[in-house]
Amino acid sequence: MDINFIKEKLRFLQDNPNKLNKITPKEFFLNPPIPESEVFYIERNLRIRFPENYRDFITKIGNGCSGPDYGLLSLEESMIDFKLKTKPAIDLTMPFTYSESWNEDWVFDIDWESGERPDENQLNSYMDTGHIHGCLQICHIGHGCTYLLVVNGIEYGNIWTDERPDYGGITPLLDTNGSRMSFEDWYTNWLKVVI
């Protein structure tokens, strides 16, 4: 990860907030980095290791800052499913089970235009935090939709989108070549677009 490049671009955004205000609903912010020892403690307790480019970011640049949409959440915020009323912890010790886009079949069978809606059981099952085991919810897109960083499972290190609040399912984020995007790809691409 090119830490100097990212720091330089963030300094530019801090000095030129008009660039940021055109594309994001949030003012510039940059939290202090989280100590390496604290990250190590969390990893040891969960028996996982965060992807190196994400780990470098939160320990050397900032533990939450301006970024795509509503910005990068802190590690602590990313470990909780904030879109649910009970704010349950996401189980990072369990692997993320998806390797391809997922959605429930009933989403396509409902007559949304007539006012038909899923029943409570369908909705509770659909929104269950179990769908995002092994992921950090790193960024709020809007309407409760989020970017996920897979930290456990075969998609380790890749960014996915969780658009279940809009009935859009869970999908890997792809670059213009159709390849999976890492945390570093996702964040630096945003910087290149905004500046």
Side-chain angles (χ1 to χ4, degrees), residues 35 39 42 51 53 57 59 62 69 73-74 80 125 127 130 138-139 145 155 158 166 176 187:
V39 175
I42 292 168
N53 50 28
F57 194 102
T59 59
D69 299 292
L73 295 169
S74 70
I80 296 168
S125 175
M127 295 305 296
I138 60 170
C139 178
C145 299
E155 286 291 311
N158 294 328
D166 287 339
T176 54
Y187 196 82

Side-chain angles (χ1 to χ4, degrees), residues 8 40 50 53 83-84 119-120 129 131 134 140-141 150-151 172:
E8 176 188 322
F40 177 76
F50 297 122
N53 50 28
K83 66 183 164 291
L84 299 179
D119 64 41
E120 189 173 341
T129 303
H131 290 291
H140 183 201
I141 299 171
V150 181
V151 298

Side-chain angles (χ1 to χ4, degrees), residues 4-51:
N4 290 331
F5 167 81
I6 294 172
K7 284 183 174 180
E8 176 188 322
K9 296 301 183 189
L10 287 174
R11 275 193 297 273
F12 176 82
L13 286 176
Q14 187 171 18
D15 294 340
N16 298 278
N18 59 317
K19 288 273 190 190
L20 191 62
N21 295 343
K22 292 177 184 173
I23 64 159
T24 183
K26 207 168 179 185
E27 296 292 320
F28 181 86
F29 71 103
L30 177 60
N31 298 337
I34 185 171
E36 171 75 29
S37 58
E38 192 172 328
V39 175
F40 177 76
Y41 176 80
I42 292 168
E43 290 175 327
R44 189 182 67 201
N45 282 346
L46 296 172
R47 295 188 192 109
I48 62 167
R49 176 124 174 129
F50 297 122

